[in-house]
Amino acid sequence: RWFEDAEIRCLPDMKHGLNPLRLLSLQRVIHELVKENDIVVARLPSLIGSWALRSAWRQNTPVMVEMVGCPWDALWNHSLKGKLVAPWFWAKNRRLLRRSRHTIYVTDRFLQNRYPTHGHFVACSNVEATPVSESELKARLNRIAIMAAQQQVILGTIANLDVPYKGHDLVLRALAAVSDSAPRYVYRMIGPGNPARLKEMARTLGVADRIEFTGAIPKSDIPSALDHIDVYIQPSRQEGLPRALLEAMSRGCVAIGTRTGGIPELLEKPWLLPRNDWRSLSSLLVDLFDNDLKAVSRANFETARKFEFKALELRRQGFYDQFLRDSGL
């Protein structure tokens, strides 16, 4: 939610590093920004967020941490360079979280277990599911009822095509392994990025005729796009709590995800698969209609309702009130 009197201060891009003098200059800027404010919310993992957190501690400014992702998974699945620095960032964020007095985690268990805190904390997702009416759920159940008789079943993923850890390639490998007797699956990829890498892989695997690239779409069009997908797949190698998966579940989609990040808090077997395991995905697709898909749809819908704005806001506001009381504000 935006506030009318919000002010945004832009800082230099940190992705490609800065020379030591500019780093010191940037730290001083952050120190002054902290000094100007009564409360600091530091979002981690982030280099700027960690500097703001330490600066707040030095100045005795009340500070709250929002832990939104796992630096180990993000870096380890990024590149060889990422693997080299992942242990350092893992240890660094564990130290910061242990010292934090008030922490909001966006997962129920995953981040809490990997980056525990000795202070007060609450599990409250920063991802909100869009409320769906019973009539919209009924339309989904009607779609499922005729799905087995359709000429094709639409699989879908919403994610950036340029990010390898999103795992689009695993779905392509699974499609190539699906037998001819299985339903004809078409894989629809929605999101920004250059499709050349995945197009070439699909051609090599012999499934080029079964893929669709939609490109980026406005946020307002996502519900409609999900309503035209039968099975949503989140094949990621690393995640926090994926917004697109939760949105798909809120629309009653049958959903498949990998055992990473907060996904196991949303899905159960057989819909929860090991990371990098395209063979298990292909087996699940072959046996898809052996499952009660209407029951799966309803279960996903009910899970997503826990992430609607009103439910999250009550939990979040209660934690904010405690933070203010503890800070003497």
Side-chain angles (χ1 to χ4, degrees), residues 73-255:
D73 283 351
L75 292 166
W76 189 264
N77 291 288
H78 183 271
S79 63
L80 176 59
K81 182 180 178 181
K83 288 179 170 58
L84 294 175
V85 299
W88 186 85
F89 278 97
W90 170 80
K92 170 188 173 182
N93 281 272
R94 280 178 64 89
R95 288 194 301 270
L96 294 174
L97 267 295
R98 277 199 301 268
R99 186 177 170 185
S100 173
R101 293 182 57 200
H102 297 87
T103 306
I104 298 177
Y105 293 95
V106 299
T107 60
D108 282 338
R109 299 181 300 275
F110 172 69
L111 291 171
Q112 289 89 322
N113 292 336
R114 191 165 286 190
Y115 304 93
T117 181
H118 296 314
H120 299 289
F121 69 91
V122 66
C124 191
S125 173
N126 63 343
V127 176
E128 298 168 5
T130 304
V132 174
S133 66
E134 283 292 334
S135 62
E136 290 172 306
L137 177 60
K138 184 177 179 180
R140 167 63 63 180
L141 296 176
N142 290 338
R143 182 182 177 100
I144 290 175
I146 63 172
M147 189 165 66
Q150 298 299 302
Q151 292 185 346
Q152 60 186 22
V153 174
I154 305 298
L155 312 175
T157 298
I158 301 177
N160 193 316
L161 304 180
D162 292 329
V163 181
Y165 70 67
K166 289 298 183 180
H168 298 90
D169 58 296
L170 301 173
V171 184
L172 297 183
R173 294 183 189 280
L175 282 180
V178 171
S179 66
D180 294 337
S181 60
R184 176 178 171 82
Y185 290 108
V186 172
Y187 184 34
R188 184 173 296 161
M189 288 169 268
I190 302 172
N194 186 347
R197 173 181 63 93
L198 295 170
K199 280 185 176 181
E200 177 58 25
M201 176 176 287
R203 187 192 64 77
T204 301
L205 292 170
V207 295
D209 62 330
R210 287 191 277 169
I211 63 171
E212 298 178 359
F213 294 97
T214 302
I217 61 175
K219 183 179 180 180
S220 59
D221 291 346
I222 288 178
S224 176
L226 288 169
D227 288 343
H228 290 84
I229 288 174
D230 297 306
V231 180
Y232 184 84
I233 305 178
Q234 194 75 48
S236 307
R237 295 177 170 92
Q238 75 92 8
E239 280 289 353
L241 193 74
R243 180 182 304 274
L245 173 59
L246 195 57
E247 285 281 357
M249 294 173 69
S250 76
R251 307 301 298 183
C253 289
V254 175

Side-chain angles (χ1 to χ4, degrees), residues 39-44 49 53 56-57 61-67 100-104 120 122 316 319-324 327:
I39 293 173
V40 171
V41 179
R43 175 172 282 198
L44 299 180
L53 179 58
W57 284 334
T61 301
V63 58
M64 179 191 305
V65 171
E66 186 180 20
M67 191 64 180
S100 173
R101 293 182 57 200
H102 297 87
T103 306
I104 298 177
H120 299 289
V122 66
R316 190 180 292 119
F319 189 73
Y320 289 166
D321 291 341
Q322 179 183 5
F323 167 70
L324 292 175
S327 302

Side-chain angles (χ1 to χ4, degrees), residues 256-267:
I256 300 172
T258 47
R259 189 177 294 279
T260 186
I263 296 178
E265 299 172 11
L266 300 176
L267 300 174

